[in-house]
């Protein structure tokens, strides 16, 4: 059966949407590292949350300015593994790995994390609806983060990150002593790989930005 014009247009839109979202992700890194906070704010939806009790792009820009100025002399964000799934004509979710470097006073802090993203198309352009950071480790470049409480920022007590919190398979893997018993699970439906891996796992208490 040949594809209809509508089918072709929908497929093209999916391809173009994924490409635009990948560009959005990379633009985030460049705008943040170059401290172009107007460019950064414009990557988010107009009613983006800024802290606990404010919203809007201007408020977000000002909140980010204060946050970055207080904590970092310089940063570099390196995007890695990326999965983007369209959940509707104008909505999508994504998992994005990021390896980051931070100059913070006398220490050089390296970090491994992922973002759990929600994207929304507004006036024909894809934007971040929110980015939920999930951290594995942060430590001075010369201090490997071996052991527990891998988040080790200067001037703070070490604490656990949330790198594995979104996916129950991590804990299940270490809770059992060998391979999973029984038949292998069915493959995830198209555009539902992330949500299938989540299996309804919530992230209460994890900061959203």
């Amino acid at each position: 059966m040949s594809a209809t014009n509508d089918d072709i247009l929908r497929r093209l839109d999916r391809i173009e949407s994924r490409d635009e979202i990948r560009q959005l992700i990379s633009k985030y890194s460049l705008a943040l590292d170059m401290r172009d906070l107007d460019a950064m704010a414009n990557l988010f939806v107009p009613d983006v949350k800024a802290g606990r009790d404010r919203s809007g792009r201007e408020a977000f820009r000002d909140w980010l300015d204060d946050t970055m100025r207080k904590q970092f002399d310089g940063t570099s964000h390196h995007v890695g593994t990326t999965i983007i799934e369209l959940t509707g004509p104008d909505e999508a979710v994504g998992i994005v790995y990021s390896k980051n470097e931070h100059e913070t006073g006398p220490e050089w802090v390296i970090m491994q994390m992922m973002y759990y993203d929600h994207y929304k198309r507004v006036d024909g352009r894809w934007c971040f609806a929110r980015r939920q950071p999930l951290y594995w480790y942060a430590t001075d470049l010369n201090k490997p983060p071996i052991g527990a409480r891998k988040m080790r920022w200067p001037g703070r007590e070490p604490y656990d990150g949330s790198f594995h919190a979104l996916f129950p398979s991590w804990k299940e893997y270490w809770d059992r002593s060998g391979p999973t018993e029984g038949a292998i699970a069915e493959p995830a439906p198209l555009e539902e790989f992330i949500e299938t891996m989540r299996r309804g796992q919530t992230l209460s208490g994890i900061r959203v930005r």
Side-chain angles (χ1 to χ4, degrees):
M1 181 182 297
S2 60
T4 66
N5 285 340
D6 286 345
D7 289 335
I8 292 171
L9 289 174
R10 279 193 292 268
R11 292 177 184 179
L12 285 173
D13 183 62
R14 285 171 59 181
I15 292 170
E16 290 181 349
S17 292
R18 281 196 171 88
D19 184 65
E20 185 178 342
I21 291 170
R22 289 190 181 95
Q23 290 291 312
L24 178 73
I25 293 164
S26 293
K27 290 173 182 177
Y28 175 98
S29 294
L30 180 63
L32 182 61
D33 293 337
M34 297 302 111
R35 300 298 188 271
D36 190 330
L37 302 185
D38 282 1
M40 168 66 80
N42 283 323
L43 300 178
F44 286 79
V45 293
D47 60 348
V48 57
K49 291 183 179 179
R52 293 184 177 181
D53 54 4
R54 299 184 66 197
S55 63
R57 287 171 173 163
E58 289 188 10
F60 178 76
R61 178 197 60 191
D62 296 344
W63 170 81
L64 188 61
D65 187 295
D66 183 63
T67 299
M68 300 304 291
R69 196 175 300 278
K70 287 180 178 177
Q71 296 184 16
F72 308 113
D73 300 307
T75 57
S76 180
H77 290 69
H78 305 264
V79 174
T81 299
T82 302
I83 301 171
I84 299 164
E85 296 184 334
L86 300 170
T87 57
D90 298 309
E91 295 182 344
V93 297
I95 290 291
V96 180
Y97 278 43
S98 187
K99 187 69 174 287
N100 311 328
E101 302 197 20
H102 310 79
E103 183 181 5
T104 172
E107 298 197 49
W108 196 276
V109 177
I110 57 174
M111 172 189 283
Q112 178 64 60
M113 62 173 292
M114 71 171 76
Y115 290 103
Y116 176 44
D117 286 340
H118 286 74
Y119 314 104
K120 186 175 182 180
R121 182 153 48 185
V122 179
D123 296 331
R125 298 183 63 178
W126 283 98
C127 303
F128 292 108
R130 69 183 186 194
R131 305 207 83 183
Q132 198 152 7
L134 307 172
Y135 303 111
W136 186 20
Y137 69 77
T139 188
D140 183 88
L141 179 64
N142 297 309
K143 302 173 184 176
I146 304 299
R149 297 186 296 278
K150 298 180 185 295
M151 295 298 294
R152 303 168 187 175
W153 286 100
R156 294 187 60 178
E157 289 296 316
Y159 61 97
D160 289 321
S162 51
F163 189 74
H164 305 99
L166 189 64
F167 303 104
S169 55
W170 173 260
K171 184 176 184 301
E172 292 169 359
Y173 177 86
W174 291 110
D175 283 347
R176 65 176 185 265
S177 58
T180 304
E181 297 181 358
I184 193 167
E186 291 293 319
L190 185 66
E191 305 290 1
E192 295 182 23
F193 186 83
I194 296 170
E195 297 309 304
T196 298
M197 284 192 62
R198 282 189 61 196
R199 301 205 299 273
Q201 181 77 10
T202 60
L203 288 169
S204 59
I206 295 178
R207 180 172 58 89
V208 177
R209 71 177 183 190

